[in-house]
Each structure stands twice: as C-alpha cells, then as structure tokens.
Amino acid sequence: MRCFYSIVTTLIILLVAFTESKADTYPEVIFDNSLVKGVYAKSRVEYEGSSWVENLNNHLLVSDTLFFTPGNALSLQYKSAENGHWHVDLQYSRQKLNYQVNPSDFLVFQLFVKSEDTQDADLPLIGIRQRENESDFLDITPYIEDFGYNMWMRVKIPMSKFRNVMGKEPITAVRMVQHRTSGKTHQLFIDQVEFLPRGASQVKLSSPAILSSAVAYDKQVHLQWQLPLTPSIRYIKIYRSEDGKNFTPVGIRPISMQGCLDYVPDLNRTYFYKIAWIDYNYVESPFSQIKEVKTKRLDEHELLDLVQGAHVNYFLENYDINSGLYLPFGMKERALVSVKESGNAILSLIVGVEKGRVNRQVALGRIGRMLSFLSKAQNRYGIFPAYFDGRTGLPDYREGEPTYDVLATSSVIEALLVARQYFSKEDEKEASLRDNITTLYEAIQWDRLLAEGYQDVLLEKVSGLDPSKQYPTLGGINESINAYLLAMSSPSHPIPLSAYENGIKNVDIRYSSAYNRMDSLARDTISMVKESFRLAFNPFSNNFEGLAERISILQDTSMYGEQLVFGNAKGSLLDFYKPFFTLNPSLLPDDKISYEEAIRSYIKVRKRRDNEIGVGSTNSDIWGFYQLSDSIGSYRINPAIGPASMFLLPNEGKKSVFALYENYGENFFTEYGFRAWLDLRDSDVSDEYFATNQAAVAVGIENARTGLIWKLYGDIPEIKSLLGKLHTERQKRN
C-alpha cells in the first residue's frame, strides 16, 4: 500500500477542528459592554445620501464616562436627512447565535437622550435580524418609560409586537434605522440591550452582598464572592476605590461566575473593593463589606502560574451540573455538552489539582459524574456521539443523522486514562473511579470501527442507522494519532500494530487540498492506479466503491529555513499541538520521523511567517495568526498558539505569554484566561473562549514545566505496553 501511494503527490492536511466556545456574559444579552475602548467592533454602521452616523471604521463609538452599567455605553450620533438613509446593526457574537427568543420575551434596553432638541419622533425605528430574515420595524416611543433628557430611560418592547420573526431561528442582530427626517444632529447613548423573560423574578434584594476575598496578582485583582440562591439576582456589580471612601463602578459579572479578575492601573498601590447584587430591574442590593488589597509585580514563575490558573479556572466553572461534562453554550432550553472537550476539561482539572488551584475531591467528583453519565449514555460499539443534552442524557446529532464520533470519544477516553493514573490512592472512591474508567475503555470495539477493505484504518465516525455507511478515515498528525494508539493498545478489541504505519501515516484523500487542486487527468490517474491496486488486493470482489482513498503524509519541503517533512500545511498549529497534550512526541518510535523535531520546525516556520506579515504588532513575540484574510480582511491572533508552544519551544512560548499579557492584558486576559482571539487590525477582542485554546495553554505550560500529563500518559499500562511493542517492531525492521 505504501508503494502505491508513493507514486502520487502527498500532503499532510491540518483539519481545522470545531472548537467550542463560551462567552462571559448571558447569551440573551446583545450588548452590555465593549471589551475595548473607543469603539464597539460588533456594531455595523451604514448610511447614504445626506444622512450620517458617527463611526470609526464603520463601528459605533462607545462612552466610558457615561453609561448605565459599567464600564461603557454605545454612542449613537446621527443625522436623518430627507434624501438619505442610515441603519446600525448591533450584532450577536457567534456563541450567542444559539439563543432563540420566546414570543413572550421582551426586548429591553436603556436609552439616554443627550441632544435636547431631539423629539421622541426623531428616535430610530428598531427591528430584529435573523440571518437573511428581517422583522418589521417598530417605533420605540410607545415603549419608553417616562421620556426625558439627560436621564436613563428603560425601553421595553414585547417580542410579540415584532411581525415576521421566525420561530426557532437564532437572532443575529438588532437593527436601528432612520425614522423621521430633520436637519438636526441627534445624540443618544444606549446600554444593556437584551432579551428578558416575562416571568423574571421580582424578589427584592434586601440582604448585603458577600465579597469573600480580594487577592492581588500583578495588575490583576482576583475577587471572589458567595452568591445566595436568590432568583432575582441578575448581575454582580463591582466597585473600586483608591481611598476606601469614593467608590467607582468598574464592572458587572453574570451570576454564572464565582469570581473575577479586575485589571487595575498601577502596581504597588492599595485598592479597596465592594460589590452589590443587581436585580432584573437593575436595582442594587446593600453593599458588601469592603476588602483592601495592594498590588505588586509578579516574577516570571508567578505570572505563568497566574496565566495557567486562569485557563484551568475556565473548566472549573463551565460545566453541566447534571452530567459533569463540559458545557460549551449557554442555552436556556437545554444543556448541550461536548464529549470531546470534556477530555480537555479532565486534563486541565488534573493540572489544577497538582498546582493546588482545584480541590482534589472536587475534581474527583466531577470526573466521577462524567463516568456515571457516560456509562449509561447511548453509544455504538462503545463510541459516543459528539454532543449530548446533559439534562436528558439524549444525544444531539448535529449533522441531522445519528452518528458516533471516534475522535470525540478518544479525547475523553485518553483523558480518563490519564485520570486513572493520577487518582492512584488506595481509597474506595479513587479505586472505584479507576475500575469504572477501565470498564469504559474496554467496552470500545475498535475492531468494528474499521474502514471497508482495511484491517488497520479507523473511520472518523460510524452511523447509528446504517452500519455499512462509510465516513472519511482517520490519519495524519492530528488527534487521529491518539485514537490509533488507544485502538492498538486496547486490551479487549485491539487493531493490528500496522495501524501505526497504515493508519497514522496516511490521510484520507477527501481531506487533501493538494488532491482537490489537481486537474482531472491527475485525478483520473490516481483512480486508475487505485483500482488496479484494489483488483490486486482482492480480485474476487466487484465492490470497490467503498474503499477509502488514502495518501501518505510525507512530503518533504523547506520553508523559512526549516525542513517540513509533512509539506506546506496551512491549517492551525493547534492541530499539531493536540495529539501532544497527552503524548510526549519523543516517545513515538520511528526511523523516518522525529516527531519532536518535526513539530518544532512547524512552530518556528509559523512564527517566522507571522512575524514577516507583521500586521497590527511590531512585537515579534506576538504571533499565532489563525485567520488571515486579504488586504481588507481581518488578522486575528489565536492566543493559544504562541503560549502553548512552550511544550517544545519553552523560551518562545514564555515570551509569547508575557507579551500578550503585558500588551493586551487589560482587555484580553480574564479570570478564564485569554479570550478566543485578538483582532489586531479591527481593534477588537472576542467575548468568547475556545475550550481547546484554554486547555492548550493550561496543559502546554504544565508539560513544559514538569511534564506532568506526559508522564501520566506514558505510564498508562496499555499505552506503555503498546509503545514497547512498536519499539520492538522498529528494531525488527532494522
């Protein structure tokens, strides 16, 4: 087979995996604050003719001195001319597209009319956008409570008043459009745009808020609070002072959070904090007691601890209470959990326990709950769907058909095996955990997950309806490696050791961009040779259509002064990183490839390329573009790519961590770690987090510093035995 594939052009394909995200605000909130100063990048301004809207790069400006909730509000300054038109979209982030409004909900926002010659009829119309669908536009005047000037007014519009709103279609934007024409310029401020339910609790908040602690880490102050089970609490409002007397509101946080980081201006300064609960009408509770804290500069080791701990905290807080699994989306109608990213959650929790940031019993209980859920969950051959409803236990088939995901299952199983090594105490709880993990692993029938015509090539998924249906096959330098190692090391249903060469080192041709760029003659040649190979392989079979087409990953090339044994791969470096969250690349026995050196070369090339592009930053330690567009597009930094490179390039990785934190920490780094992306050209940051990113930083830093996860994975008996067998096979070949 390898001889056959050597005649065709080969290329490794980096699969851009679907990564989960979670925002640090409510999914029903369209706008509460702009994360960067000056403009709100998720707004879009358009005008024509003699009409006009104040904007910067087609975005609304924001005010950080006049706001309803801290720390800013939208500024809408406009002129509505007779021979012109304007409209402004307040767009949802990607994560919030999962939110679907109920007809009984209300669209609510806060309005401040600054220009005193603005009459109520001069205010814009408002409507709802759902992808390509657009509702009718409403006059907001009838829904304003006590119209006036230089004061915040509440606008509350029943969703039932909007005609042409599609039932289950997600909201993509709230649009404001020109209404009455006039020759005057008007200025409004808008804040806290959200959809609220009719039956929101109105219980009065009479008890003081409880601020448990305030601890300084460099310019970050970590606040923690104790939140009562009061249904009318909507937000936690944070106040800061430099003298202990005059307090300024500096932020709000949703009740899903147990604490937060507040970025302060100065080091070696004393700050004072207090908090209040806020209800759905934005009425505050009595204040908490005041906490005093003094900031100080952290050394490099302490700063790495801070960054790593925040990324671990993301997984500590974002989970489904029923299943224990990772919860990527905030959805009021169900709790959609991710099997794949739950593996990253387990690894991160283990790091947190080791670093003393997560209580051992808390992590043990969470993982035990996952096991309990998965042991009863619907599966096929021991393989789980990628998503479940954590409340009902029912699979969520996102492709519209029942499928069971091999990579998602592999991710959580290998993390559980790492946990089996870590929780090694001889007490009943940890012993039971280890037994249950072994049972789950041994239940997987890897030998029934093979592609047609192969004994050593895994399918990426299997159908729940049609066992004969053939999906693409696994292979390449990505998470496929982990799946193959688990399959070969299975004590109950192993696949042959030849999967190391035939499975890992070949990739499905349907994923090959090189193949897709070939002309018809080249494709016909490959098909002809492959059919000849099939006939030679099984001359008695007339069914060749189901046999997967696979090509070698090896394509030696050179770029930016480095040899790239897998060719010019253009995907995200995270795809190269993922297999090595758990697997130390130096453990893979291979005559042709030093995986450690190969991946290190790809990291160097990507850094050099990003530095050469140099859009948006003159600091060579800020790199890791994951979205590159043309001259009018966006250049986004993925904050996991540089820092997580520590696992193979410790110096470059550390410099990237420090550069991102020092240059963009105020808006980009939070209690959950670095946000999903930083747009250097558009001066924007994401309000979301990618689970794979958070795990890459938490685990990558730990493997670079102590090798904890690598050691645990390498000591898994089944994996250790397999690596020994592969080493023996290598010696026999030599």
Side-chain angles (χ1 to χ4, degrees):
M1 185 176 295
R2 289 193 298 274
C3 294
F4 158 69
Y5 285 127
S6 66
I7 70 171
V8 299
T9 303
T10 60
L11 181 69
I12 182 171
I13 306 305
L14 287 177
L15 307 178
V16 181
F18 176 71
T19 51
E20 307 304 342
S21 62
K22 190 174 182 68
D24 56 354
T25 185
Y26 296 101
E28 66 270 18
V29 175
I30 298 173
F31 174 84
D32 51 12
N33 283 297
S34 174
L35 297 174
V36 296
K37 297 178 180 179
V39 299
Y40 183 52
K42 291 181 178 62
S43 61
R44 184 72 184 175
V45 172
E46 294 187 24
Y47 63 85
E48 59 187 24
S50 297
S51 293
W52 169 80
V53 177
E54 182 184 31
N55 72 91
L56 181 63
N57 196 24
N58 302 117
H59 304 310
L60 286 180
L61 277 64
V62 298
S63 166
D64 57 4
T65 56
L66 177 63
F67 47 73
F68 182 75
T69 56
N72 51 53
L74 298 170
S75 172
L76 176 57
Q77 189 170 189
Y78 60 93
K79 183 176 181 180
S80 299
E82 186 173 350
N83 59 337
H85 181 77
W86 64 263
H87 70 258
V88 172
D89 283 347
L90 306 182
Q91 300 169 330
Y92 253 159
S93 66
R94 184 184 68 84
Q95 187 268 342
K96 294 179 180 179
L97 291 178
N98 294 276
Y99 178 74
Q100 299 169 351
V101 296
N102 188 295
S104 64
D105 288 351
F106 292 87
L107 173 60
V108 181
F109 61 94
Q110 307 295 327
L111 178 67
F112 189 103
V113 180
K114 182 68 173 177
S115 46
E116 294 192 358
D117 55 357
T118 300
Q119 304 299 313
D120 53 9
D122 295 316
L123 300 176
L125 302 174
I126 195 167
I128 306 295
R129 291 187 60 81
Q130 300 170 293
R131 295 193 173 95
E132 301 304 318
N133 184 63
E134 188 173 83
S135 75
D136 293 345
F137 288 90
L138 297 178
D139 181 354
I140 68 174
T141 305
Y143 308 103
I144 298 176
E145 300 173 359
D146 300 323
F147 182 85
Y149 300 95
N150 293 311
M151 57 183 285
W152 284 104
M153 302 171 287
R154 193 184 200 202
V155 183
K156 185 177 181 181
I157 307 173
M159 282 302 297
S160 59
K161 297 295 184 181
F162 291 101
R163 291 185 295 176
N164 197 36
V165 173
M166 309 297 289
K168 293 294 184 180
E169 190 73 10
I171 304 296
T172 55
V174 168
R175 173 169 287 187
M176 295 185 175
V177 303
Q178 176 174 313
H179 189 192
R180 187 177 73 172
T181 61
S182 73
K184 298 177 181 179
T185 300
H186 308 281
Q187 184 169 21
L188 316 175
F189 294 92
I190 298 167
D191 204 352
Q192 211 58 43
V193 184
E194 56 193 336
F195 296 100
L196 293 179
R198 177 184 295 275
S201 175
Q202 302 296 315
V203 175
K204 185 178 179 180
L205 302 177
S206 56
S207 300
I210 303 173
L211 179 59
S212 304
S213 65
V215 181
Y217 300 96
D218 201 72
K219 287 188 176 182
Q220 304 279 357
V221 176
H222 184 212
L223 305 173
Q224 286 188 295
W225 47 76
Q226 296 179 28
L227 197 67
L229 298 175
T230 305
S232 55
I233 299 177
R234 174 69 170 167
Y235 281 104
I236 297 93
K237 190 171 184 178
I238 302 159
Y239 288 83
R240 185 175 69 216
S241 169
E242 295 184 6
D243 60 10
K245 298 177 182 178
N246 301 300
F247 283 83
T248 302
V250 293
I252 57 172
R253 293 293 190 276
I255 60 171
S256 60
M257 300 177 67
Q258 303 169 19
C260 73
L261 291 177
D262 179 48
Y263 188 91
V264 296
D266 300 308
L267 291 167
N268 300 313
R269 180 184 288 273
T270 299
Y271 292 95
F272 302 85
Y273 286 90
K274 63 182 181 181
I275 64 171
W277 313 137
I278 303 177
D279 67 16
Y280 281 82
N281 296 312
Y282 292 90
V283 177
E284 297 182 17
S285 73
F287 290 118
S288 69
Q289 292 183 343
I290 296 171
K291 297 288 184 181
E292 178 180 343
V293 65
K294 185 175 182 178
T295 58
K296 66 173 184 176
R297 182 170 296 281
L298 301 181
D299 61 30
E300 287 190 358
H301 182 81
E302 292 170 324
L303 192 54
L304 282 176
D305 282 345
L306 170 65
V307 171
Q308 185 185 44
H311 287 80
V312 168
N313 186 54
Y314 173 77
F315 292 103
L316 184 62
E317 293 196 11
N318 294 308
Y319 71 101
D320 169 50
I321 190 69
N322 303 288
S323 64
L325 296 171
Y326 167 72
L327 185 69
F329 302 119
M331 305 173 71
K332 64 180 183 179
E333 68 274 11
R334 58 186 175 142
L336 187 67
V337 295
S338 167
V339 172
K340 179 179 180 179
E341 298 297 355
S342 293
N344 286 330
I346 293 169
L347 298 177
S348 300
L349 289 173
I350 291 171
V351 170
V353 174
E354 185 69 11
K355 303 298 289 186
R357 291 182 173 271
V358 178
N359 180 278
R360 187 180 183 94
Q361 294 305 311
V362 168
L364 191 63
R366 177 85 60 81
I367 297 170
R369 196 176 305 171
M370 294 185 196
L371 273 171
S372 178
F373 180 90
L374 292 174
S375 66
K376 303 169 188 173
Q378 190 168 317
N379 65 82
R380 187 162 185 84
Y381 312 132
I383 297 296
F384 303 107
Y387 299 93
F388 283 99
D389 185 324
R391 295 173 189 164
T392 65
L394 296 176
D396 185 88
Y397 301 118
R398 310 199 85 192
E399 304 90 349
E401 60 173 324
T403 56
Y404 298 82
D405 195 298
V406 175
L407 287 182
T409 304
S410 298
S411 174
V412 75
I413 291 296
E414 73 165 357
L416 286 170
L417 291 172
V418 170
R420 191 182 67 179
Q421 289 301 116
Y422 186 76
F423 293 100
S424 58
K425 292 182 179 179
E426 290 305 323
D427 63 49
E428 184 178 351
K429 199 168 185 179
E430 296 198 11
S432 176
L433 183 88
R434 294 193 297 271
D435 290 342
N436 291 336
I437 291 171
T438 300
T439 299
L440 205 64
Y441 177 36
E442 292 182 351
I444 301 176
Q445 302 175 48
W446 300 98
D447 50 0
R448 301 193 68 174
L449 307 175
L450 300 171
E452 183 179 348
Y454 294 93
Q455 295 179 332
D456 49 16
V457 175
L458 292 170
L459 294 166
E460 68 169 15
K461 61 182 68 173
V462 292
S463 172
L465 294 177
D466 182 5
S468 65
K469 186 169 184 178
Q470 294 292 296
Y471 290 94
T473 54
L474 296 180
I477 311 306
N478 50 56
E479 292 169 284
S480 297
I481 294 176
N482 310 78
Y484 277 109
L485 293 181
L486 289 176
M488 287 185 284
S489 63
S490 170
S492 55
H493 300 275
I495 64 174
L497 297 183
S498 58
Y500 180 79
E501 294 289 338
N502 297 336
I504 292 174
K505 292 188 178 180
N506 291 279
V507 66
D508 199 300
I509 206 166
R510 284 168 282 188
Y511 286 146
S512 175
S513 57
Y515 177 79
N516 292 332
R517 289 194 300 268
M518 289 179 185
D519 59 30
S520 58
L521 177 61
R523 291 192 185 194
D524 289 345
T525 301
I526 290 175
S527 297
M528 179 181 66
V529 175
K530 186 174 181 194
E531 184 165 339
S532 298
F533 174 78
R534 285 171 175 167
L535 287 168
F537 179 73
N538 188 354
F540 302 104
S541 175
N542 294 318
N543 180 17
F544 309 126
E545 295 302 317
L547 194 60
E549 296 182 89
R550 292 167 59 79
I551 56 177
S552 172
I553 64 173
L554 299 176
Q555 183 187 350
D556 199 17
T557 189
S558 179
M559 294 180 66
Y560 296 93
E562 294 289 327
Q563 288 298 118
L564 303 178
V565 297
F566 308 126
N568 178 17
K570 296 182 178 180
S572 170
L573 271 181
L574 280 180
D575 289 312
F576 273 131
Y577 294 173
K578 286 175 190 174
F580 308 114
F581 286 5
T582 53
L583 172 66
N584 186 333
S586 66
L587 293 181
L588 283 175
D590 203 289
D591 296 322
K592 299 178 181 177
I593 307 169
S594 167
Y595 287 92
E596 193 172 10
E597 289 302 318
I599 305 307
R600 189 177 285 121
S601 293
Y602 277 91
I603 297 173
K604 291 177 181 178
V605 165
R606 192 58 54 86
K607 182 178 186 299
R608 292 168 188 174
R609 183 207 68 176
D610 292 354
N611 288 163
E612 189 171 298
I613 293 170
V615 176
S617 175
T618 57
N619 190 327
S620 64
D621 295 323
I622 294 176
W623 57 282
F625 291 131
Y626 90 95
Q627 179 176 326
L628 291 170
S629 301
D630 58 23
S631 59
I632 61 172
S634 62
Y635 288 75
R636 290 180 173 178
I637 291 292
N638 181 326
I641 290 176
S645 70
M646 275 185 67
F647 81 102
L648 285 180
L649 293 172
N651 189 51
E652 287 83 348
K654 279 196 296 184
K655 285 183 176 180
S656 182
V657 171
F658 300 149
L660 286 168
Y661 178 83
E662 292 294 338
N663 288 275
Y664 303 102
E666 181 176 3
N667 300 313
F668 195 39
F669 181 79
T670 78
E671 53 280 338
Y672 291 153
F674 291 118
R675 297 181 183 276
W677 48 258
L678 169 68
D679 191 329
L680 297 175
R681 169 167 293 185
D682 212 16
S683 298
D684 191 19
V685 299
S686 174
D687 63 352
E688 304 166 358
Y689 305 86
F690 289 166
T692 300
N693 284 9
Q694 311 316 103
V697 175
V699 176
I701 288 176
E702 192 60 29
N703 279 333
R705 296 168 95 182
T706 70
L708 172 68
I709 301 299
W710 281 350
K711 291 175 184 175
L712 292 169
Y713 181 84
D715 285 338
I716 295 170
E718 295 90 341
I719 295 294
K720 194 170 186 177
S721 174
L722 170 67
L723 293 174
K725 292 175 184 177
L726 290 174
H727 183 72
T728 301
E729 288 290 315
R730 176 190 177 191
Q731 290 179 325
K732 288 179 180 178
R733 288 195 299 270
N734 292 336

